[in-house]
Amino acid sequence: MSTPASAAAAPAAAPKSSGSAYTPNPKKRSGALLGVLAWIIGLLFVLPVVWMVWISFHSENDAATNPPKFDAPFSTEGYKNFFDSNPWPSLANSLTASVVSTLIVLLLALPAAYALSIRPVKKWSDVLFFFLSTKFMPVVAALLPIYLFAQKVNLLDNIWLLILLYTSMNLPIAIWMLRSFLAEVPTEMLEAAQVDGAGLVRTLREVIAPVVMPGIASAALICFIFSWNEMLFARVLTGTVAETAPVFLTGFVTSQGLFLAKVCAASIVVSLPVLAAGFAAQDKLVQGLSMGAVR
């Protein structure tokens, strides 16, 4: 008796796998690399500030050593020298010029941004380009005409001259920023305000301003920082009466003696108002920049 031959071969057994190899995700790898790069860039910005704070708490002899002495004793000599030199008039002048000019800029920029975004005037793009063109000329090119004008009208060493200059310098920036914020305001809110009989001033104050408050805060902070840090006009156009904090800070740099610790201490103190304003408006600043950037 013949045995039937198997017509079909038995299926081959699948090879046993020792475990599937892990394939890294290119997106995760690129995200990790970008995160490391961001940390490196952040440290490059922070380390000089940390170094300046560390130097400010040392004596002049220890601060001037090369290489620096990391085990040098701490000292408040630089801060004592700074406050003994009576910096309060200069700090008050900087605060006055920065705050007053920022308030004037906001009062002028909000209606202008309203006219260029919500109720656009004719050839509004040309108006925006004109505002932008005022920043094309280098500041030093206008220094001599402004000095001669201030000398002619007896405004040299006058804080109101700086307020006028800072207002004119920051107004185009504020208008551009607020225009992008006002473009996000829903038109239904404005139509409802018109139905209720609200005028332009009331609409700006009670309807638009609360909605774009983050944008107003971010524009105000940037204008305040620019005004506080400005030194060229203040150095040339002021003397002893309207001297600002950056000009006062340059007086510590002398050709004789050591001044590194004292300059670092003075820089820390002068930077505190800007840091305080930034921390106070941090949430509003982030919201404002996000609102103005995302359409």
Side-chain angles (χ1 to χ4, degrees):
M1 185 176 63
S2 62
T3 58
S6 55
K16 294 182 179 181
S17 177
S18 59
S20 58
Y22 172 72
T23 304
N25 191 347
K27 292 184 178 180
K28 292 183 178 180
R29 180 181 299 176
S30 61
L33 292 177
L34 289 177
V36 172
L37 181 61
W39 274 102
I40 294 175
I41 295 176
L43 289 176
L44 290 177
F45 278 95
V46 172
L47 283 179
V49 179
V50 175
W51 180 264
M52 184 172 64
V53 174
W54 186 80
I55 289 294
S56 67
F57 285 101
H58 287 76
S59 63
E60 293 292 353
N61 293 328
D62 294 332
T65 56
N66 190 15
K69 297 180 180 179
F70 292 97
D71 57 344
F74 278 71
S75 173
T76 58
E77 177 185 349
Y79 292 94
K80 183 177 182 301
N81 293 333
F82 173 75
F83 287 109
D84 287 344
S85 57
N86 191 21
W88 305 115
S90 300
L91 292 174
N93 287 333
S94 288
L95 187 63
T96 301
S98 301
V99 172
V100 175
S101 64
T102 300
L103 292 177
I104 296 176
V105 165
L106 294 180
L107 290 176
L108 297 177
L110 188 59
Y114 176 87
L116 293 172
S117 59
I118 298 178
R119 294 290 185 266
V121 297
K122 294 181 179 180
K123 298 183 178 180
W124 59 270
S125 59
D126 295 338
V127 177
L128 283 176
F129 178 77
F130 169 74
F131 287 136
L132 188 62
S133 65
T134 59
K135 309 298 294 183
F136 290 169
M137 184 176 65
V139 177
V140 69
L143 189 58
L144 181 59
I146 292 176
Y147 178 85
L148 295 177
F149 170 77
Q151 187 181 37
K152 199 72 173 179
V153 297
N154 296 323
L155 282 178
L156 289 177
D157 202 10
N158 193 317
I159 193 64
W160 287 104
L161 176 63
L162 293 182
I163 292 174
L164 178 62
L165 292 176
Y166 294 167
T167 301
S168 61
M169 290 168 55
N170 294 326
L171 186 59
I173 302 174
I175 291 176
W176 269 84
M177 291 184 64
L178 290 179
R179 182 190 174 274
S180 62
F181 299 140
L182 290 176
E184 302 294 328
V185 177
T187 56
E188 292 78 6
M189 297 180 60
L190 303 176
E191 294 174 356
Q194 289 182 349
V195 171
D196 293 340
L200 176 60
V201 176
R202 184 181 176 186
T203 301
L204 290 174
R205 185 180 66 251
E206 299 181 5
V207 179
I208 297 178
V211 175
V212 298
M213 187 55 66
I216 294 176
S218 60
L221 180 60
I222 290 177
C223 293
F224 178 82
I225 293 175
F226 286 170
S227 300
W228 184 272
N229 294 335
E230 199 282 324
M231 191 183 71
L232 182 60
F233 282 130
R235 187 73 178 86
V236 176
L237 301 177
T238 64
T240 57
V241 178
E243 182 186 54
T244 58
V247 179
F248 179 80
L249 185 61
T250 60
F252 292 97
V253 181
T254 61
S255 59
Q256 298 178 353
L258 302 176
F259 55 82
L260 183 58
K262 185 165 57 176
V263 169
C264 290
S267 301
I268 295 298
V269 176
V270 171
S271 303
L272 287 179
V274 176
L275 294 176
F279 279 113
Q282 184 178 8
D283 297 338
K284 295 293 183 181
L285 179 62
V286 174
Q287 296 176 11
L289 294 179
S290 302
M291 183 178 65
V294 181
R295 295 297 304 273

